Structures are given as structure tokens and as C-alpha cells.
Amino acid sequence: MKDCLFLPADCGPQLQQQTQLYWQPAGGTGKSLTWAQCISELSGKSFALVIPMAMASACAVKLPTLKARWLHKALPYAVEELLADDVELMHLALGEMLADGRHLVLAVPRGLLQGWLEQIAEHSLQVSAIHVDADLLPREGVQVLLHDQQALLGGSGELRLAFNRSDWESLSAAIAGPVHVNDENCPWPLLATGQLQAINLAQGEFNIRHDTGKASI
């Protein structure tokens, strides 16, 4: 399991000096850090960057081929009608095949992700993987994580959502089957344990350069 740096749900395209992030070391006690503190305390460290579901989209698609070299070429055509944004502006990350034969896909605005990675690289911080927080929830049925006034939804299916805690009662009525609800004062250790099964967004143009540990941008 890698150390994790979590971006906040309200993170803008530029990390400000006082932007509050959360540092969760592998097997250790995490802490809240401003971006300025991250620059001074985490220099030279390698970690998984965790971006908020509020900035991402998720869907599941049936792909016309299972050949690895063709999957990523087919992906934009498969998802373009499922995304609210222009698919040309999105970075698409291909995930696992679901029980019904469709593939899970995460989409993040390319410019937004590139901007964060450029800022991080400027300060000698090394990104070794990229995840979305809701996708880190356990792959066991439908999973809901409640924390303060925010909530995440994920699990073994295609659903990946970020929403207000106050909306959970009405949302829960629309979900079929059992739901595992995690009400956590400190949710980051739980999320960090989900790295092995989660989609790594460091694919394609954002693939990791193994010689430096930094994401290609």
C-alpha cells in the first residue's frame, strides 16, 4: 500500500498555499496539511494522489474488443454518449470488467488533472499512482462512506458518486440490494486500503515514468 495525498472535495484547478489536503502514510497516522506544508514536508516522497469524485465521472461500457492494444482506442467512442462533457476534453481510465461483461471507466477533465500534476512536479513531489476517492471503497456490494457533511458511494458495481450527506436518505431509496454504510470521523485509512483493487488513472498520456516516479504530462 502506498502513502496517499488526498485533494479536498472543493479543490480548484490551482492548489493555493492554504488549500487543505490530507496526508495518509501507509500504515501510519495521517494528518491534515496545507499545500504550503505539503511542499515543505513531503519533498522527495512518492505517493498515490487521490482526487475527489466531485471532479470525476464514472460509467460502465461494453467494449467491442478485449485486445489490450485496441481497448483504449475504442474507449472514447464507447463513452462519449454517457458523459456530460466533451469526451475530447476528458482523460479516460479503463478499469475492471464487471459481472455483466461491461468495463468500469473513470473520466476526469484532462486539463484539471494535468494542472495538478504539473504543480506537484514543480516541487519535487512524486506521484506514483492516481486514484479517485469513491473508487477506493471496498469492492463488496454497494458501499457508502459518510464523513462530516459529505458522502461517497462506490463498491463492486458501476456506481461512483459524491453527494451531500443530507441527500443520503432520499438516494438510498433508489438503490436496490444491501448497502454497507461506513460512518467515519477519519475516512482516509479506510480509503487508502482500497488501492490494490481501485483503478489507477496513470494510464495513456498520464502513465507513470518508472525512472522518476512522476506522471507523464
Side-chain angles (χ1 to χ4, degrees), residues 2-210:
K2 304 177 187 295
D3 297 344
C4 293
L5 183 64
F6 290 81
L7 299 183
D10 59 353
C11 186
Q14 292 293 316
L15 300 173
Q16 306 299 322
Q17 292 290 299
Q18 296 307 310
T19 298
Q20 290 286 333
L21 300 90
Y22 196 88
W23 173 249
Q24 180 60 54
T29 301
K31 60 181 177 179
S32 181
L33 295 173
T34 64
W35 173 233
Q37 290 171 323
C38 289
I39 293 171
S40 63
E41 295 186 28
L42 306 182
S43 180
K45 290 185 179 294
S46 175
F47 54 82
L49 179 68
V50 183
I51 64 178
M53 187 66 217
M55 305 293 183
S57 301
C59 61
V61 294
K62 186 74 173 180
L63 294 171
T65 179
L66 295 181
K67 294 183 178 180
R69 62 177 178 171
W70 296 113
L71 281 176
H72 285 279
K73 292 185 177 181
L75 198 51
Y77 302 100
V79 305
E80 60 183 343
E81 294 184 359
L82 301 176
L83 299 178
D85 298 299
D86 186 346
V87 70
E88 296 294 329
L89 302 178
M90 306 297 285
H91 170 59
L92 305 176
L94 183 64
E96 70 266 28
M97 182 185 289
L98 302 175
D100 61 6
R102 293 178 301 158
H103 278 81
L104 185 60
V105 179
L106 291 176
V108 181
R110 181 180 291 108
L112 193 61
L113 181 56
Q114 183 171 355
W116 290 330
L117 292 174
E118 286 178 344
Q119 280 189 272
I120 289 170
E122 285 174 2
H123 298 286
S124 300
L125 308 181
Q126 300 181 11
V127 174
S128 57
I130 308 167
H131 298 296
V132 173
D133 54 10
D135 191 51
L136 290 168
L137 288 169
R139 295 292 205 269
E140 299 173 10
V142 178
Q143 298 278 337
V144 172
L145 174 63
L146 304 176
H147 171 61
D148 290 339
Q149 300 308 308
Q150 301 174 358
L152 297 174
L153 188 149
S156 59
E158 66 188 271
L159 291 175
R160 301 286 185 275
L161 293 173
F163 56 97
N164 293 326
R165 185 188 186 113
S166 58
D167 294 331
W168 171 233
E169 183 175 353
S170 57
L171 181 60
S172 63
I175 299 176
V179 178
H180 305 277
V181 179
N182 307 276
D183 196 340
E184 300 281 346
N185 291 326
C186 184
W188 299 281
L190 171 64
L191 292 172
T193 61
Q195 295 176 62
L196 291 180
Q197 78 273 3
I199 298 174
N200 186 352
L201 278 71
Q203 303 178 15
E205 65 186 294
F206 292 102
N207 196 12
I208 299 298
R209 296 193 189 115
H210 294 289

